[in-house]
mmCIF file of all heavy atoms in Angstrom:
data_model
loop_
_atom_site.group_PDB
_atom_site.id
_atom_site.type_symbol
_atom_site.label_atom_id
_atom_site.label_comp_id
_atom_site.label_asym_id
_atom_site.label_seq_id
_atom_site.Cartn_x
_atom_site.Cartn_y
_atom_site.Cartn_z
ATOM 1 N N GLU M 541 50.144 -35.577 2.190
ATOM 2 C CA GLU M 541 49.962 -37.025 2.066
ATOM 3 C C GLU M 541 49.445 -37.628 3.364
ATOM 4 O O GLU M 541 48.549 -38.487 3.347
ATOM 5 C CB GLU M 541 51.291 -37.686 1.692
ATOM 6 C CG GLU M 541 51.752 -37.397 0.279
ATOM 7 C CD GLU M 541 53.168 -37.907 0.021
ATOM 8 O OE1 GLU M 541 53.976 -37.945 0.978
ATOM 9 O OE2 GLU M 541 53.450 -38.263 -1.118
ATOM 10 N N GLN M 542 49.985 -37.181 4.471
ATOM 11 C CA GLN M 542 49.559 -37.723 5.765
ATOM 12 C C GLN M 542 48.107 -37.388 6.066
ATOM 13 O O GLN M 542 47.349 -38.232 6.544
ATOM 14 C CB GLN M 542 50.443 -37.149 6.877
ATOM 15 C CG GLN M 542 51.846 -37.697 6.884
ATOM 16 C CD GLN M 542 52.613 -37.151 8.070
ATOM 17 O OE1 GLN M 542 52.441 -37.606 9.196
ATOM 18 N NE2 GLN M 542 53.439 -36.163 7.844
ATOM 19 N N VAL M 543 47.726 -36.145 5.767
ATOM 20 C CA VAL M 543 46.342 -35.728 6.009
ATOM 21 C C VAL M 543 45.394 -36.513 5.101
ATOM 22 O O VAL M 543 44.352 -37.004 5.552
ATOM 23 C CB VAL M 543 46.180 -34.207 5.797
ATOM 24 C CG1 VAL M 543 44.703 -33.820 5.804
ATOM 25 C CG2 VAL M 543 46.935 -33.434 6.873
ATOM 26 N N ALA M 544 45.770 -36.659 3.826
ATOM 27 C CA ALA M 544 44.927 -37.411 2.885
ATOM 28 C C ALA M 544 44.765 -38.850 3.357
ATOM 29 O O ALA M 544 43.663 -39.423 3.306
ATOM 30 C CB ALA M 544 45.532 -37.374 1.481
ATOM 31 N N HIS M 545 45.843 -39.446 3.845
ATOM 32 C CA HIS M 545 45.816 -40.825 4.328
ATOM 33 C C HIS M 545 44.872 -40.951 5.527
ATOM 34 O O HIS M 545 44.037 -41.858 5.594
ATOM 35 C CB HIS M 545 47.242 -41.216 4.726
ATOM 36 C CG HIS M 545 47.380 -42.633 5.183
ATOM 37 N ND1 HIS M 545 47.330 -43.705 4.326
ATOM 38 C CD2 HIS M 545 47.553 -43.157 6.429
ATOM 39 C CE1 HIS M 545 47.467 -44.823 5.016
ATOM 40 N NE2 HIS M 545 47.602 -44.524 6.287
ATOM 41 N N ALA M 546 44.995 -40.022 6.470
ATOM 42 C CA ALA M 546 44.143 -40.056 7.670
ATOM 43 C C ALA M 546 42.678 -39.824 7.305
ATOM 44 O O ALA M 546 41.781 -40.457 7.869
ATOM 45 C CB ALA M 546 44.611 -39.006 8.672
ATOM 46 N N LEU M 547 42.435 -38.922 6.358
ATOM 47 C CA LEU M 547 41.056 -38.638 5.950
ATOM 48 C C LEU M 547 40.436 -39.833 5.235
ATOM 49 O O LEU M 547 39.255 -40.129 5.423
ATOM 50 C CB LEU M 547 41.009 -37.399 5.049
ATOM 51 C CG LEU M 547 41.320 -36.063 5.738
ATOM 52 C CD1 LEU M 547 41.384 -34.941 4.713
ATOM 53 C CD2 LEU M 547 40.288 -35.739 6.811
ATOM 54 N N ARG M 548 41.236 -40.531 4.417
ATOM 55 C CA ARG M 548 40.703 -41.727 3.740
ATOM 56 C C ARG M 548 40.256 -42.759 4.772
ATOM 57 O O ARG M 548 39.207 -43.377 4.634
ATOM 58 C CB ARG M 548 41.771 -42.352 2.827
ATOM 59 C CG ARG M 548 41.951 -41.635 1.510
ATOM 60 C CD ARG M 548 42.801 -42.454 0.538
ATOM 61 N NE ARG M 548 43.194 -41.620 -0.581
ATOM 62 C CZ ARG M 548 44.352 -40.961 -0.639
ATOM 63 N NH1 ARG M 548 45.212 -41.047 0.365
ATOM 64 N NH2 ARG M 548 44.647 -40.220 -1.681
ATOM 65 N N ALA M 549 41.078 -42.947 5.808
ATOM 66 C CA ALA M 549 40.727 -43.907 6.861
ATOM 67 C C ALA M 549 39.439 -43.481 7.562
ATOM 68 O O ALA M 549 38.570 -44.309 7.851
ATOM 69 C CB ALA M 549 41.866 -44.035 7.870
ATOM 70 N N ALA M 550 39.295 -42.175 7.811
ATOM 71 C CA ALA M 550 38.089 -41.665 8.477
ATOM 72 C C ALA M 550 36.859 -41.836 7.582
ATOM 73 O O ALA M 550 35.752 -42.080 8.068
ATOM 74 C CB ALA M 550 38.276 -40.194 8.848
ATOM 75 N N LEU M 551 37.054 -41.728 6.270
ATOM 76 C CA LEU M 551 35.956 -41.944 5.317
ATOM 77 C C LEU M 551 35.543 -43.414 5.323
ATOM 78 O O LEU M 551 34.355 -43.743 5.336
ATOM 79 C CB LEU M 551 36.393 -41.552 3.903
ATOM 80 C CG LEU M 551 36.459 -40.062 3.574
ATOM 81 C CD1 LEU M 551 37.236 -39.843 2.287
ATOM 82 C CD2 LEU M 551 35.054 -39.494 3.438
ATOM 83 N N ILE M 552 36.536 -44.296 5.305
ATOM 84 C CA ILE M 552 36.269 -45.730 5.227
ATOM 85 C C ILE M 552 35.515 -46.223 6.460
ATOM 86 O O ILE M 552 34.559 -46.996 6.357
ATOM 87 C CB ILE M 552 37.588 -46.510 5.033
ATOM 88 C CG1 ILE M 552 38.150 -46.240 3.635
ATOM 89 C CG2 ILE M 552 37.373 -48.012 5.224
ATOM 90 C CD1 ILE M 552 39.568 -46.748 3.420
ATOM 91 N N THR M 553 35.935 -45.776 7.641
ATOM 92 C CA THR M 553 35.284 -46.252 8.873
ATOM 93 C C THR M 553 33.927 -45.595 9.107
ATOM 94 O O THR M 553 33.157 -46.047 9.950
ATOM 95 C CB THR M 553 36.151 -45.957 10.108
ATOM 96 O OG1 THR M 553 36.341 -44.547 10.213
ATOM 97 C CG2 THR M 553 37.491 -46.647 10.022
ATOM 98 N N GLY M 554 33.648 -44.516 8.368
ATOM 99 C CA GLY M 554 32.395 -43.797 8.597
ATOM 100 C C GLY M 554 32.536 -42.724 9.654
ATOM 101 O O GLY M 554 31.554 -42.109 10.066
ATOM 102 N N GLU M 555 33.777 -42.492 10.120
ATOM 103 C CA GLU M 555 34.026 -41.393 11.054
ATOM 104 C C GLU M 555 33.604 -40.070 10.395
ATOM 105 O O GLU M 555 33.047 -39.190 11.031
ATOM 106 C CB GLU M 555 35.519 -41.363 11.407
ATOM 107 C CG GLU M 555 35.916 -40.316 12.414
ATOM 108 C CD GLU M 555 35.481 -40.650 13.830
ATOM 109 O OE1 GLU M 555 35.363 -41.834 14.160
ATOM 110 O OE2 GLU M 555 35.255 -39.695 14.592
ATOM 111 N N MET M 556 33.864 -39.971 9.085
ATOM 112 C CA MET M 556 33.349 -38.858 8.286
ATOM 113 C C MET M 556 32.166 -39.400 7.498
ATOM 114 O O MET M 556 32.314 -40.354 6.736
ATOM 115 C CB MET M 556 34.429 -38.310 7.343
ATOM 116 C CG MET M 556 35.587 -37.661 8.067
ATOM 117 S SD MET M 556 36.911 -37.110 6.947
ATOM 118 C CE MET M 556 36.095 -35.694 6.153
ATOM 119 N N ARG M 557 31.001 -38.788 7.685
ATOM 120 C CA ARG M 557 29.763 -39.376 7.172
ATOM 121 C C ARG M 557 29.313 -38.767 5.851
ATOM 122 O O ARG M 557 29.520 -37.581 5.593
ATOM 123 C CB ARG M 557 28.638 -39.185 8.199
ATOM 124 C CG ARG M 557 28.910 -39.825 9.538
ATOM 125 C CD ARG M 557 29.029 -41.335 9.444
ATOM 126 N NE ARG M 557 27.759 -42.025 9.595
ATOM 127 C CZ ARG M 557 27.619 -43.344 9.545
ATOM 128 N NH1 ARG M 557 28.657 -44.109 9.333
ATOM 129 N NH2 ARG M 557 26.449 -43.887 9.698
ATOM 130 N N PRO M 558 28.654 -39.565 4.997
ATOM 131 C CA PRO M 558 28.142 -39.072 3.716
ATOM 132 C C PRO M 558 27.169 -37.909 3.912
ATOM 133 O O PRO M 558 26.376 -37.913 4.854
ATOM 134 C CB PRO M 558 27.401 -40.284 3.135
ATOM 135 C CG PRO M 558 27.995 -41.457 3.815
ATOM 136 C CD PRO M 558 28.368 -40.995 5.182
#
Side-chain angles (χ1 to χ4, degrees):
E541 290 172 330
Q542 288 184 78
V543 170
H545 183 73
L547 291 174
R548 282 192 193 94
L551 284 165
I552 291 169
T553 61
E555 183 74 28
M556 294 176 71
R557 300 297 271 180

